Amino acid sequence: MLLLSCSGLSRGYSATPLFEGVEFELHAGDRLGLVGPNGAGKTTLLRVLAGQDSPDSGRVQHHAGARVGLLEQQAHFPPDWSVYQVAQSGLDELIAAQQQFEQVASELAHCTDEDRRRQLSAQYDRLHEWLRHHNAYQLDHQIEAVLSGLGFGPEDYHRPAATLSGGQQRRLLLARLLLAAPDVLLLDEPSNHLDIHMTRWLEEYLVRQAEGMVIVSHDRYFLNRVATRILELHQRRITSYPGNYDQYVRLRQERYERQLKEYEAQQEFIARQEEYIRRVHYGQLARQAQSRAKVLEKLERLEKPVLPGMPRIRFREVPRCGDVVVRAENLGMRYGQRVLFRNLNLELPRGKRLGILGPNGCGKSTLLRILIGEEAPSEGRVEIGHRVVIGYLDQQLAVLNPEQTVLQAVRPADDPDITEQTLRDLLGSFGLSGEVVEQPVGSLSGGERSRAALARLTLQRANLLVLDEPTNHLDIWACDALEEALRAFDGSVIVVSHDRYFLNRVVDMLIVFDHGTTEVVYGNYDLYESLRQSRLSAAAANKEAGGSAPSASRSSRHAGAEGGGMPRSSSSKPRRKRRFPYRKVADIEADIAAAESRLASLEAELQNPDLYRDADRVRTTLQQIEQLKAALTQLYEHWEEAVELNG
């Protein structure tokens, strides 16, 4: 069912539009991930869709009476409301319907007029069905489930909402919106302020909902799990890609390469025509030259395609250190009666990249400071390797003096002779140029400060980079650049991060905090997730068989290449449900072959220079190619399902 559509949307400030000509539709069950560089206008677009801001041109339509809800950025709670009351207010419509249902039932029980009884009976049936459809007979259970998923326990229910921290208030706003369950959910960075457990819960919750959603997020792992389509807002335009984030990256690169070939082919065609016109613009062939000149005048020129800008992050070559960079033995940390971790043993070899992952407040940053000698452990010891030089980037970016200009703050103390132009060139490669580098660090946005701090870090000759949440405030493209730079770095890395996509691409070892335990995993996040799912499946199978569920975690466990290898699939895993109608595998394969053949012929047609004489034909061909690729994606998924379930 169509819930929302927009056409020709344009919005800007001053003379420069943030976006223009935006058009797309949202149907029930669609989960659209909206991505784009910082400052592209994603939040503004959500506000326009919600009706909280007016477009300069174009229109937004809410179809079939669709209710629209936007995740607010700032909380404004009544001062005397508790956490539970705020969450419950998301269900005001259902609660009012319940009260009306009770009134109708009471009146119906005492009504003697036959006509009135029929009216009340019909109203009773409608309300009953509506309440049943929205599961309104278990509202307390719904509230408690959502609050629990977002990190609020029973001890928080009666706490005044106004006394919560900023991050907690943001989570409470999300809880209220999820409980309200509008037909269209507009979520601006919903995983901000969520730890790993809450984020997993939110992902599972959203994929079960029937509402339509538009989700702005820098969390690429989250988009992979939740999004069914990606909208890219770049250079004021929206481009739609089917599938999740990984598929978007692949399709965007293919689209860029195809458009670049089309642009280059057209430029070659134009150059040949202009050379011909220049040579024969007089004499017997002058008429032909004039004819070709008219063709060029009418030709719709293709723009050179541009990918979103990515900072060019490069770390210097670093001096070689000892074979073991950091060694920790029987490490433990406690504050009073609270134990953060204990019995942690670790050896980080030279050249390895270690990630630290866990829920908020579990002790990740504390462990980081202990490993680099900035804080003493309660028990055990840490040994830093021979000739190890540490470069530390903390969450608060304290390496930058907020009173200094960006140029002054980035200049390394051990290299005072570095030229200003070198610093400007370096900052420019991070997207910081012009007047920005003359401004005080304290006046920069979070993303600008993060990029300035990373620029400063690249000037140090540290062979051990220690990074605490380095992707905070960075957009997707800056994260990509940082990941590539760390993968190419000659030294070692220790990084605390909640960004699972980042950890997957960068680290080859993990320390995972989970329910008061620590586990060393010799692999990336995907390996850890496989191990975790395997344990959960084994525990569930054991429980169904009547046995006692094995512990999902043990203190200081070791897993991965040196602790049991990859998990094996459980034979008791249930067969998944069908997404597509039953079809024979051979029939689907025939459709795939036909679609691939048609796609190949269309892509071959793009190599024909004559195609570019007709702009409409170019546009139609490109649309057909996009449609075929989307159809093939579904056919491949249908084929995989048929191979697994037919039989």
Side-chain angles (χ1 to χ4, degrees), residues 192-400:
N192 279 5
H193 308 293
L194 304 187
D195 64 25
I196 183 69
H197 300 304
M198 299 176 204
T199 303
R200 285 195 197 113
W201 176 88
L202 180 61
E203 290 165 349
E204 293 166 0
Y205 184 90
L206 292 179
V207 298
R208 293 197 305 266
Q209 305 311 304
E211 296 93 346
M213 305 175 198
V214 181
I215 306 167
V216 171
S217 181
H218 289 142
D219 188 334
R220 296 159 291 174
Y221 204 96
F222 181 89
L223 291 173
N224 262 346
R225 293 204 61 196
V226 173
T228 58
R229 183 155 48 108
I230 299 292
L231 302 179
E232 180 191 79
L233 179 55
H234 176 51
Q235 292 189 316
R236 303 188 299 279
R237 301 287 184 180
I238 283 279
T239 306
S240 177
Y241 297 87
N244 62 9
Y245 178 81
D246 279 347
Q247 189 166 347
Y248 148 71
V249 171
R250 179 177 61 80
L251 293 175
R252 181 189 63 184
Q253 186 62 31
E254 290 177 0
R255 181 175 183 268
Y256 168 76
E257 292 172 359
R258 183 176 64 253
Q259 289 182 337
L260 185 60
K261 288 180 181 178
E262 295 160 8
Y263 170 79
E264 291 172 345
Q266 189 185 65
Q267 291 299 302
E268 184 180 341
F269 169 76
I270 292 170
R272 287 201 308 269
Q273 302 310 308
E274 289 177 341
E275 173 63 18
Y276 180 84
I277 293 168
R278 186 188 63 78
R279 286 190 292 104
V280 302
H281 68 280
Y282 58 87
Q284 294 180 344
L285 298 178
R287 183 172 296 177
Q288 292 184 21
Q290 292 173 1
S291 176
R292 295 197 183 192
K294 290 179 181 178
V295 169
L296 288 184
E297 287 176 9
K298 296 178 181 178
L299 182 65
E300 185 176 332
R301 305 293 177 106
L302 299 175
E303 293 184 6
K304 186 174 183 178
V306 178
L307 288 172
M310 179 186 294
R312 298 185 298 277
I313 302 176
R314 298 287 185 275
F315 292 100
R316 291 180 171 185
E317 290 187 9
V318 295
R320 183 183 177 90
C321 64
D323 290 341
V324 177
V325 178
V326 176
R327 178 181 289 111
E329 297 178 356
N330 300 318
L331 207 60
M333 189 65 187
R334 70 170 63 236
Y335 292 108
Q337 298 300 312
R338 185 184 176 212
V339 177
L340 293 181
F341 53 88
R342 60 186 306 180
N343 299 329
L344 176 61
N345 293 280
L346 172 74
E347 191 173 276
L348 179 65
R350 183 182 65 249
K352 293 294 184 180
R353 299 182 295 272
L354 169 69
I356 303 175
L357 174 69
N360 296 338
C362 67
K364 303 186 297 295
S365 295
T366 301
L367 174 59
L368 199 68
R369 292 193 297 272
I370 290 172
L371 290 177
I372 62 176
E374 287 204 350
E375 191 168 340
S378 301
E379 55 190 57
R381 60 189 292 269
V382 174
E383 181 182 343
I384 304 295
H386 179 59
R387 298 186 65 192
V388 170
V389 180
I390 297 172
Y392 180 38
L393 185 70
D394 66 308
Q395 272 196 68
Q396 286 70 39
L397 306 178
V399 294
L400 300 176

Side-chain angles (χ1 to χ4, degrees), residues 602 605-615 617-618 621:
L602 286 172
E605 192 174 346
L606 291 177
Q607 308 305 315
N608 181 3
D610 292 338
L611 172 68
Y612 302 100
R613 297 184 181 182
D614 186 343
R617 188 176 159 205
V618 172
T621 302

Side-chain angles (χ1 to χ4, degrees), residues 583-593 635-636 638-639 642 646:
R583 290 189 65 195
K584 293 180 180 178
V585 172
D587 292 344
I588 302 173
E589 289 173 344
D591 287 351
I592 290 174
L635 282 169
Y636 294 145
H638 196 164
W639 178 85
N646 291 9

Side-chain angles (χ1 to χ4, degrees), residues 2 54 83 105 125 143 155 161 181 188 219 314 398 406 459 472 508 512 530 546 567 576 622 629:
L2 180 62
S54 299
V83 167
D125 290 341
I143 295 169
E155 67 278 7
D188 194 355
D219 188 334
R314 298 287 185 275
V406 177
L459 291 172
N472 282 359
D508 35 40
V512 182
S530 295
R576 59 171 171 155
L622 293 176
K629 288 196 171 183

